[in-house]
Amino acid sequence: MIFGSQKTPQNGPAAPVANSPQHIIFDATANDFEQSVLQASMEKPVLVDFWAPWCGPCKQMMPVLEKAVNEAGGAVLLAKVNLDENPELAQALRVQSVPTVFAFFGGRPVEAFQGNQPESQIKAFIASLIELAKQNAPEALNIPESLKAAADALAEGNFPVAQGIYADILEQEEGNADAFLGLIRTMIAAGNADYARQMIDNAPDPIARHPKFIDSKAALEMALKSPASDLALLIENVAKNPDDQQARLDLAEAQFAAGEREEAIETLLASIAIDREWNEQAARKMLVTLFQAIGNADPLTIQSRKKLSSLLFS
C-alpha cells in the first residue's frame, strides 16, 4: 500500500536530500514516493505536481510553479510525478486530470488544486503552506533556561532528566558546548564512562575547538580515570608523611577517580592550607580542575569554592 507505512523502503532509488538546494525540486516515482515525499513532508511541506508529456497546461504551469518554489528558499519542496509512468500514484490519489498539485505535510495530503493557475494564486497557495508549517512547528527551546534546568537536574542526581534536556538542546543547537559538556558530565555521574569517553574522543570539530571544551577536557579525563591505587594505603601514606604534598595530590586524584568527590576536595583544601604555593599552586590548580569536572553549578562546587576563597584570602 503506497501510503500505509512511514518506514524507509528497502528498494528503489535513494531519496533526494531535502535540505540540499539542488533537491528542492526533484522527480518522484512510485518506488521512492514514500521516502522522498511522505517522509520529507514530516519536516516541511512538499508539493506534488502530477503532469504528463502530452499536457499543454502542464508545460505552461511547471516553470511558474518551479519559480515560486525556488523563491520560497527551501521552505517547501516540489516533487514532479509523470502521470504516464506512475499510474498507481495517480490512482491512489484519485488524480482525474493534469495538472493536479497536492500539498503534503506531516505525511499526508493537506491541500490540492487542479488545472493551470496564475502565479499569484500559486504563491498564495505556497504562502499558506509555509504558515501551516510554522503553526505546527515544535516550540523552540529557551536555551539559557534549559541549560539551567539541566544543570539543576544533574546537581540533584536526576540523570535521566538532565540527559534528556541536554540532548534536546543539542538537537536544536548542535554546536552548543555547554550542553555537550553537560551531557558528558551527566554520563560520568551516571556511571556511563564508556559513552562519556566516546563523546570526548569524537567531539564535533566546532565543539572540540571551543575554549570551554579545551578548558574542561583535562577535568573530564580525570573524572574518567579508574582507581589505580589502594585508597587505604594512600591515606596511610599521608598520615605518616603529613608534609608530603605530592602524596596528598595522589590521594585526591585517587579519591576523585573512585567517586569520593567530597573527600578529594577536602584533601586538596588541606594541602592548600598547609602550603598553597607548593609546586606552583598545584593543589589549587587540581581543585579548579575538579570543579570543572563536577560542574560549576553543582552545590558541592559552590560550597567548596567558598572554602577555597576563605583559605586564599584569610
Side-chain angles (χ1 to χ4, degrees):
M1 182 176 175
I2 294 173
F3 304 112
S5 170
Q6 296 299 313
K7 295 181 181 179
T8 303
Q10 298 300 312
N11 301 308
V17 180
N19 293 327
S20 178
Q22 65 266 34
H23 289 113
I24 291 175
I25 300 172
F26 53 90
D27 293 317
T29 67
N31 287 333
D32 63 25
F33 192 85
E34 192 167 330
Q35 186 176 0
S36 64
V37 174
L38 298 185
Q39 290 191 16
S41 75
M42 301 303 292
E43 296 183 7
K44 61 180 67 178
V46 181
L47 298 178
V48 180
D49 177 23
F50 282 90
W51 67 282
W54 44 263
C55 170
C58 296
K59 296 176 182 178
Q60 294 174 356
M61 188 182 72
M62 190 175 290
V64 178
L65 186 58
E66 290 180 349
K67 177 186 174 188
V69 168
N70 279 319
E71 288 177 352
V76 297
L77 308 179
L78 172 60
K80 298 187 292 185
V81 177
N82 186 324
L83 180 73
D84 292 347
E85 296 177 357
N86 300 277
E88 60 270 57
L89 283 177
Q91 183 178 3
L93 287 166
R94 298 180 182 177
V95 175
Q96 298 178 344
S97 63
V98 285
T100 293
V101 175
F102 283 89
F104 280 78
F105 185 60
R108 61 186 180 86
V110 292
E111 296 285 351
F113 66 80
Q114 291 182 339
N116 191 4
Q117 302 292 323
E119 184 174 2
S120 59
Q121 286 189 238
I122 290 175
K123 287 185 174 181
F125 184 80
I126 290 174
S128 69
L129 291 174
I130 294 173
E131 184 60 30
L132 175 67
K134 287 180 180 178
Q135 292 174 359
N136 288 274
E139 187 175 348
L141 291 175
N142 183 313
I143 300 294
E145 288 184 5
S146 297
L147 284 171
K148 184 179 184 306
D152 290 345
L154 176 56
E156 294 166 2
N158 196 337
F159 305 135
V161 170
Q163 179 181 342
I165 297 174
Y166 283 132
D168 287 343
I169 294 170
L170 289 170
E171 187 173 344
Q172 180 171 311
E173 193 175 291
E174 292 181 7
N176 192 297
D178 289 317
F180 195 86
L181 290 168
L183 187 54
I184 293 175
R185 292 192 187 99
T186 302
M187 293 297 102
I188 292 172
N192 197 341
D194 289 341
Y195 189 80
R197 165 63 62 193
Q198 290 177 26
M199 288 187 67
I200 293 172
D201 292 344
N202 300 297
D205 220 36
I207 288 179
R209 295 197 306 265
H210 197 285
K212 287 185 177 180
F213 183 81
I214 294 170
D215 291 343
S216 299
K217 189 173 181 181
L220 297 169
E221 295 280 358
M222 182 179 293
L224 284 170
K225 286 183 180 178
S226 299
S229 305
D230 186 332
L231 285 176
L233 184 62
L234 289 171
I235 292 171
E236 183 182 349
N237 191 26
V238 170
K240 289 180 179 179
N241 305 281
D243 294 329
D244 187 342
Q245 293 288 62
Q246 186 58 56
R248 290 183 183 274
L249 266 64
D250 291 343
L251 173 59
E253 186 175 59
Q255 287 171 323
F256 191 79
E260 298 182 1
R261 304 187 308 171
E262 292 186 50
E263 291 82 352
I265 289 171
E266 291 300 327
T267 297
L268 291 172
L269 288 172
S271 176
I272 294 169
I274 294 170
D275 185 357
R276 71 180 66 175
E277 298 299 330
W278 179 82
N279 196 17
E280 298 182 348
Q281 300 189 359
R284 183 192 64 79
K285 291 176 181 176
M286 181 182 286
L287 188 55
V288 171
T289 299
L290 298 194
F291 291 159
Q292 290 176 330
I294 296 169
N296 291 323
D298 192 286
L300 178 59
T301 299
I302 296 170
Q303 178 185 357
S304 301
R305 281 191 183 278
K306 292 178 181 177
K307 292 182 179 180
L308 176 61
S309 296
S310 298
L311 276 176
L312 295 178
F313 300 108
S314 59

